[in-house]
Amino acid sequence: MSKAVTAALKEKFPDAVQEVYEGVGGDDCAFVKKDAVAEVCRFLKEDPAMAFNMAPYVTAVDYLGQEPRFEVVYNLVSTRLNHRVRLRVKVPESDLEVPTVTHLWRGADWFERYCFDMYGIRFLGHPDMRRLFMYDEFVGHPLRKDYPLKGRQPLTAERNFRDLYRGPGPSGRD
Amino acid sequence: MAETDTLPAIATRREEATGFFQKLVSKGLGWARKNSLYQYPFVTACCGIEYMSLASARYDIARFGAEVPRFSPRQADLLLVVGTINCKQAPILQRIYEQMADPKWVMAYGVCASSGGFYDNYATVQGIDRIIPVDVYVPGCPPRPEQVLDGLMLLQKKIQEQEHKLIDRLPAAELARGR
């Protein structure tokens, strides 16, 4: 891919954009500071030379044992200019609040709710910060690496019988 | 001959007579019930595609008298749980089962409904038999229609062998409690 997007980012935001590199498959990637992400995204959307009009995937990663622990990844596409960029935002465990980008791309709404549901990262300014998949009674965030793999939290009473391969029922697993 | 000697004999013959009649009725009701299974398909996942194949012309579940899917549990006899049931859905499935009128049967359609399948994770119920009673388990991911028909025939056999009564109610005390 061309370096035009990352070069423009680096020039426009010398402080907020910390590192740019070419990822696997030639995608343009950039590490962005957490507080500046809304500003960088607004530039990427509104500048006519960038014109990123779509955020097809926003997700998060848990690097347990590293500092900062979490990372939010924004994949952006411009359907007009046919180019992509990936923004990576490091989020420390002590401060799990990231500015929202839903006012720029409405489609980011459920992705941010997903990140909150699965990783517990809160998006400041999001209109409806609720869980997306899990139920409200669920405690914890299941895609965190320190969440037990089989930590089921049944809503109804389940028969706790012993079965041949899987051992006892939902409690005391893993 | 004393009266006490004859009484047990009479009672036994009467029991025999009612037993014979009851068996006849039970057989007839079983035959009727096994050949008119109204199903409620609780379709949650990809097994539903195979269910459509099962219900349509090529495999034709109508040959077994189970061609009418009822989309109200109150009109259904057979609950087909087709697909993965996760913890969020478990109360819904339980309520659907409770809404069905007796007599009712349940088929776990596919490996996810039977045992959770490969979803041994934080969200999936490890087999619907942890929340509701199941009559037939049909394995497969998804099961081929022949497998499901085999399961249905097993269920028909089971229904035929069960005891059916013309009037089958709970004792009044239990009804009042609202089981």
Side-chain angles (χ1 to χ4, degrees):
Chain A
M1 299 290 271
S2 70
K3 297 277 163 293
V5 175
T6 43
L9 270 183
K10 193 79 190 147
E11 193 194 324
K12 177 93 179 166
F13 302 98
D15 297 329
V17 179
Q18 290 160 321
E19 185 195 334
V20 297
Y21 69 99
E22 190 181 302
V24 180
D27 289 353
D28 290 332
C29 306
F31 280 100
V32 180
K33 265 188 185 164
K34 185 160 74 83
D35 300 328
V37 64
E39 206 180 319
V40 171
C41 284
R42 180 176 292 279
F43 166 72
L44 286 174
K45 190 191 176 195
E46 290 175 357
D47 191 87
M50 300 291 132
F52 285 96
N53 54 358
M54 194 171 155
Y57 203 65
V58 178
T59 186
V61 191
D62 181 4
Y63 294 105
L64 184 63
Q66 289 180 29
E67 195 54 46
R69 179 175 165 187
F70 294 100
E71 187 178 298
V72 180
V73 185
Y74 299 81
N75 292 287
L76 307 179
V77 170
S78 167
T79 53
R80 191 158 67 77
L81 303 175
N82 193 22
H83 57 195
R84 293 167 174 272
V85 73
R86 184 182 307 145
L87 305 181
R88 300 172 64 178
V89 180
K90 291 279 185 192
V91 183
E93 198 175 0
S94 53
D95 184 19
L96 287 170
E97 287 179 335
V98 182
T100 181
V101 294
T102 39
H103 54 283
L104 298 171
W105 299 287
R106 280 297 295 164
D109 181 345
W110 280 15
F111 289 124
E112 291 185 349
R113 279 178 63 188
Y114 168 83
C115 291
F116 168 65
D117 189 357
M118 295 293 162
Y119 297 93
I121 296 166
R122 302 194 76 91
F123 289 85
L124 287 181
H126 188 283
D128 186 21
M129 195 80 263
R130 282 183 298 136
R131 285 184 179 277
L132 181 63
F133 291 138
M134 306 310 290
Y135 31 95
D136 290 337
E137 293 87 346
F138 197 86
V139 180
H141 302 283
L143 285 196
R144 285 189 176 188
K145 296 291 179 203
D146 52 2
Y147 188 85
L149 181 64
K150 296 162 191 173
R152 275 183 280 279
Q153 301 180 19
L155 281 174
T156 55
E158 291 188 3
R159 281 195 285 165
N160 202 354
F161 58 81
R162 180 167 178 77
D163 73 38
L164 277 175
Y165 297 105
R166 293 164 193 269
S171 55
R173 300 290 306 273
D174 209 309
Chain B
M1 207 159 63
E3 203 182 353
T4 44
D5 293 335
T6 51
L7 264 179
I10 293 168
T12 314
R13 289 184 63 184
R14 185 183 169 158
E15 265 167 27
E16 258 173 31
T18 51
F20 172 75
F21 184 67
Q22 167 60 36
K23 262 183 204 157
L24 208 67
V25 168
S26 176
K27 245 182 158 176
L29 279 178
W31 173 82
R33 281 173 179 168
K34 79 170 184 183
N35 287 315
S36 64
L37 283 170
Y38 281 29
Q39 9 144 353
Y40 180 88
F42 192 85
V43 180
T44 55
C46 40
C47 280
I49 304 298
E50 213 66 13
Y51 169 75
M52 291 170 208
S53 159
L54 171 78
S56 52
R58 185 176 285 266
Y59 292 99
D60 201 10
I61 201 171
R63 292 177 291 158
F64 302 89
E67 74 268 44
V68 197
R70 288 276 129 181
F71 297 106
S72 161
R74 294 172 201 282
Q75 301 167 354
D77 307 308
L78 171 62
L79 176 62
L80 285 176
V81 183
V82 185
T84 322
I85 300 297
N86 53 39
C87 294
K88 200 176 181 177
Q89 272 173 328
I92 302 167
L93 178 64
Q94 213 165 26
R95 172 161 281 206
I96 293 279
Y97 178 76
E98 282 164 5
Q99 282 176 349
M100 287 170 68
D102 278 324
K104 53 190 172 184
W105 297 277
V106 179
M107 182 193 280
Y109 188 122
V111 77
C112 292
S114 302
S115 71
F118 54 72
Y119 299 109
D120 193 4
N121 60 11
Y122 58 89
T124 310
V125 176
Q126 297 301 293
I128 56 164
D129 50 8
R130 287 186 193 271
I131 44 177
I132 56 175
V134 178
D135 292 287
V136 184
Y137 300 85
V138 180
C141 185
R144 283 197 57 87
E146 294 95 324
Q147 274 174 279
V148 185
L149 292 179
D150 188 33
L152 190 76
M153 283 152 76
L154 283 172
L155 181 65
Q156 285 185 325
K157 193 159 169 264
K158 180 174 180 175
I159 293 171
Q160 181 68 77
E161 285 164 6
Q162 276 172 342
E163 194 190 352
H164 302 270
K165 287 177 184 163
L166 273 179
I167 299 171
D168 193 6
R169 328 195 153 94
L170 291 170
E174 278 193 53
L175 278 176
R177 261 193 282 128
R179 187 190 72 164

